[in-house]
Amino acid sequence: MTTKTQPADIEAQVIDDLVVANRILAKKGVLDGWGHVSARCPNNPKHFFMARSLAPALVTAADIMEFDEDSEPVDQRGRRMYAERYIHGEILRARPDVMAVVHSHSSKVLPFSVTDAPLRALIHMAAFLGDEPAPVFDTRVAPGGDFTMLVLNSQSGAALAKELGNRSVVLMRGHGMSVAAASVRLVVFMAIYTQINAEVLLSALHLGTPNFMDSAEIARSDRPDRGWEAWAAEVRENE
Amino acid sequence: MTTKTQPADIEAQVIDDLVVANRILAKKGVLDGWGHVSARCPNNPKHFFMARSLAPALVTAADIMEFDEDSEPVDQRGRRMYAERYIHGEILRARPDVMAVVHSHSSKVLPFSVTDAPLRALIHMAAFLGDEPAPVFDTRVAPGGDFTMLVLNSQSGAALAKELGNRSVVLMRGHGMSVAAASVRLVVFMAIYTQINAEVLLSALHLGTPNFMDSAEIARSDRPDRGWEAWAAEVRENE
Amino acid sequence: MTTKTQPADIEAQVIDDLVVANRILAKKGVLDGWGHVSARCPNNPKHFFMARSLAPALVTAADIMEFDEDSEPVDQRGRRMYAERYIHGEILRARPDVMAVVHSHSSKVLPFSVTDAPLRALIHMAAFLGDEPAPVFDTRVAPGGDFTMLVLNSQSGAALAKELGNRSVVLMRGHGMSVAAASVRLVVFMAIYTQINAEVLLSALHLGTPNFMDSAEIARSDRPDRGWEAWAAEVRENE
Amino acid sequence: MTTKTQPADIEAQVIDDLVVANRILAKKGVLDGWGHVSARCPNNPKHFFMARSLAPALVTAADIMEFDEDSEPVDQRGRRMYAERYIHGEILRARPDVMAVVHSHSSKVLPFSVTDAPLRALIHMAAFLGDEPAPVFDTRVAPGGDFTMLVLNSQSGAALAKELGNRSVVLMRGHGMSVAAASVRLVVFMAIYTQINAEVLLSALHLGTPNFMDSAEIARSDRPDRGWEAWAAEVRENE
């Protein structure tokens, strides 16, 4: 008997986290029926896991597919796929440090994608937003620009990844946001707290001039590691 | 044995969708105890199905009645009926492309019915709202105008249908909205995302000048087809 | 065997409605742990029924007490009582047409009690609010004025009833509102839609100048009679 | 047999209240996965009880640890601890009248921590907020100031306790608030109604100039004692 974690175990863990992430993000209103979350394959870092085209609230391990570096299915078997899977493929290609991506239509975040009001770190739980306004991606003006508002091919995905740069969150005009992080659990945390930071900021802008986090504070911030357990327990309750 | 879907099956499917639609829309806050949703009869396109007068959250297949083109019951059997069923009858009469209608008092949409702020497509999921402000119906100034704020006869229903024109959504001043679409599932989608577009727009107007979808983007937009499954699963959970 | 409803049956029905009303209003956020709802005794119109001092969400038929016209208990048996029961006693004394009263701390209504923004009928479901601003009761300036913000005796209750006049809703500065209606089911409806009218009005005031219901529309409005069933079903589900 | 309550019983009662408090505050959105609540040990007033590092929604009696007056664990047994436990230790040290402390990231309260809008008593249920603006603690300018935004040692906790002074609530810039009260049940009440007062105040500031409670009213206010029962019943329902 060996205590070393086998690759198969690691993969099963990532897939389980991905399933739970789908359900948590649906419950928190980060994902409606149309958003998605992906994870880099631990045993093949050029590939990623993501559900077949299905509302996140319904995703189970059996729905997880593997996609290659061009966001094409390894073994489609007739399953329908998210049209915007290139968001995930291209961010993962451009950012080796990223292990998981969320694409969300959060109605709390959307207002910041269609106005000039800057979305930046106001509350310490969202320090990852940084002290510069989150970049806004607009398909109309992106390279190979079009009028779909969607990311339907690798070129568009690469343009989105470029707009994201080395940030954690990129807004998408009239469409939502994409979030990139070093693990599934972390990307869930970041997506949820981007939403909360947006809510608090909207209210703060009603009250006056917000006192944002400064760069020294952001530099000192750690990534919190509680929360997942409680969120996971909530969605597992009714299984 | 034939694989061809029989008319009776199609009708049963429409009625089942209609029941689920009632429950989804109640759960999402689109319908309070007083709104309603209808579907054109697949076997008799001049007629439509709608529940007897009952809060949408409680509707079952046994509560569905059939109405003729004048919104009169085919076989009333003493059941109470929605007083505003003419909304449905007249929109279905004026719009052969429409297969389903929702009438809602959504508190997120109502503010746009009582002010000059235009409700139009801001987020890509609500492209169907178009780039012109949603029309606003007002019984005081409509043909045969009255002071009921309600649509209680065919004349008033026809005036509402005229205000709707070839659009998907018509606001009703101080009263709510009506939504028309090519299927029950689509009208549920549109009613829910009209509500979300209204919420996002209210927040965006706090933040600055919203960057709306432009006409080229609206022209390119498809009608999404996910979501129903998850919404239906949620309301079927407790049956 | 007689088909005539016996007085005992009528009383049991009122008490059952009162219990369900407590639970509906708690679920809808109209009542927090501190509000209350009462009903005039059908067999003794000078008396009223109301729960012993208990959070509304927990009220059962066994918790209902009878109070006399001075808001004193008919048979206290050591039970603790709501300190503000005089709200109910004095409104019922002043208004023979009223059969039920709600006292609420609704956080949606409260903003209108502490500012000059007038709360009046904006949506047709809340026509009962009328076209004049809801009166605001302030213990500091009421006859026998004090600094409790509460209604702790008959004199203060009578002053509140006077401020209410022949209206359905009186705001209470920094404290909440009281609602009076011709039945328990109707007072539940009115309390819920006062809250919704307040929410819609807050949003409408963000968007521009609200187009309120006019007096002819208010005069034509009926009292809706659906909704109770669905609300009651919701709170009975888990019994 | 004696009817006198034994010390062990009192302690068990405090621990049970603390567990229920964790779950109530999580359900009400006062605590996310990262807030915490503590109680002074009844048998050793220099010590306090608090959960090991765990999301509040999941806390059970087995998770409660005892901390000494320097916020160090009496018997750690390898359990992870809240990094900000010094908030509790130092407030309890500075305020002998305080028996329980909540530290919250409430998104309703946060906007008041990052703007000049004063948070003070607007509604009678939140009279404990007083008629002066709640103090705001900022780690950047506090003695031994740093850029963590957090309270990670006794010095920082003492500075926070000093900012709190003899008040019930201290805001923490971009971070949340801490609440201090004479019992676990009371601190739960105060944390919930600080959140509601903040919500009502935000709306009131949209509507106009809020009419706050005056000092005579605040002086007359009692501490309410209902509510806990209903909140506790809600969280115990699914055990």
Side-chain angles (χ1 to χ4, degrees), chain A:
Chain A
M1 187 190 145
T2 170
T3 58
K4 198 180 138 213
T5 308
Q6 300 300 317
D9 293 343
I10 296 174
E11 188 171 291
Q13 180 62 50
V14 166
I15 289 175
D16 187 58
D17 276 7
L18 195 55
V19 168
V20 172
N22 269 279
R23 291 164 176 260
I24 289 171
L25 294 171
K27 197 176 175 86
K28 295 292 175 189
V30 173
L31 298 185
D32 56 6
W34 285 266
H36 16 86
V37 50
S38 66
R40 196 186 286 279
C41 296
N43 303 327
N44 185 352
K46 294 197 166 174
H47 287 201
F48 62 97
F49 292 127
M50 192 161 63
R52 66 181 177 92
S53 177
L54 186 67
L58 302 180
V59 168
T60 65
D63 300 307
I64 302 299
M65 296 176 65
E66 183 176 339
F67 295 90
D68 69 17
E69 61 193 299
D70 296 318
S71 306
E72 297 309 326
V74 169
D75 176 20
Q76 186 172 357
R77 281 181 275 144
R79 292 173 285 185
R80 296 189 53 236
M81 301 176 294
Y82 295 134
E84 295 195 279
R85 59 193 181 275
Y86 306 96
I87 293 171
H88 303 264
E90 296 305 320
I91 290 177
L92 290 166
R93 190 201 302 268
R95 288 277 299 273
D97 60 310
V98 166
M99 300 300 282
V101 174
V102 163
H103 171 59
S104 153
H105 301 160
S106 166
S107 62
K108 306 301 185 191
V109 173
L110 269 164
F112 291 90
S113 80
V114 293
T115 57
D116 290 334
L119 182 66
R120 41 181 286 215
L122 180 63
I123 62 174
H124 85 291
M125 298 290 278
F128 57 86
L129 286 171
D131 61 348
E132 295 289 329
V136 183
F137 176 73
D138 189 337
T139 55
R140 286 184 301 200
V141 298
D146 60 43
F147 295 94
T148 62
M149 298 183 81
L150 303 176
V151 173
L152 299 171
N153 53 54
S154 291
Q155 184 189 21
S156 182
L160 174 69
K162 195 175 168 198
E163 191 71 50
L164 172 65
N166 62 357
R167 304 288 295 265
S168 298
V169 176
V170 59
L171 298 171
M172 302 163 80
R173 198 260 310 164
H175 180 180
M177 66 168 171
S178 294
V179 186
S183 74
V184 171
R185 296 184 181 199
L186 196 56
V187 86
V188 164
F189 166 79
M190 285 182 176
I192 290 172
Y193 276 92
T194 299
Q195 189 170 271
I196 294 174
N197 192 88
E199 277 189 87
V200 174
L201 181 49
L202 178 69
S203 295
L205 286 164
H206 285 311
L207 294 179
T209 304
N211 192 347
F212 289 99
M213 287 183 76
D214 66 32
S215 53
E217 289 175 327
I218 288 166
R220 285 289 307 270
S221 284
D222 257 344
R223 289 164 170 176
D225 57 3
R226 223 151 51 216
W228 172 268
E229 267 177 289
W231 293 329
E234 251 187 284
V235 298
R236 281 182 159 138
E237 215 160 65
N238 298 313
E239 270 176 20

Side-chain angles (χ1 to χ4, degrees), chain B residues 52 65 73 75-81:
Chain B
R52 66 182 176 90
M65 296 177 65
D75 176 20
Q76 184 171 357
R77 282 181 275 143
R79 291 174 285 186
R80 296 188 54 235
M81 302 177 294

Side-chain angles (χ1 to χ4, degrees), chain C residues 14 32 35 45-46 52 55 58 61 85 93 100 103 108 116 122 135-136 142 150-151 169 178-179 206-207 215:
Chain C
V14 167
D32 55 7
K46 296 197 165 175
R52 66 182 176 90
L58 302 180
R85 60 193 180 274
R93 189 201 304 266
H103 171 59
K108 307 301 185 192
D116 290 335
L122 179 63
V136 183
L150 303 175
V151 174
V169 176
S178 294
V179 187
H206 285 312
L207 295 179
S215 53

Side-chain angles (χ1 to χ4, degrees), chain D residues 84-107:
Chain D
E84 295 194 280
R85 60 193 180 275
Y86 306 96
I87 293 171
H88 303 264
E90 295 306 319
I91 290 177
L92 289 166
R93 189 201 303 267
R95 287 277 299 272
D97 61 310
V98 166
M99 301 300 282
V101 174
V102 164
H103 170 60
S104 153
H105 300 161
S106 167
S107 62

Side-chain angles (χ1 to χ4, degrees), chain D residues 3 11 75 78 88 107 122 132 144 155-156 158 164 175 193 238:
Chain D
T3 57
E11 188 173 290
D75 176 20
H88 303 264
S107 62
L122 179 63
E132 295 289 329
Q155 184 190 21
S156 182
L164 171 66
H175 180 177
Y193 276 93
N238 298 313

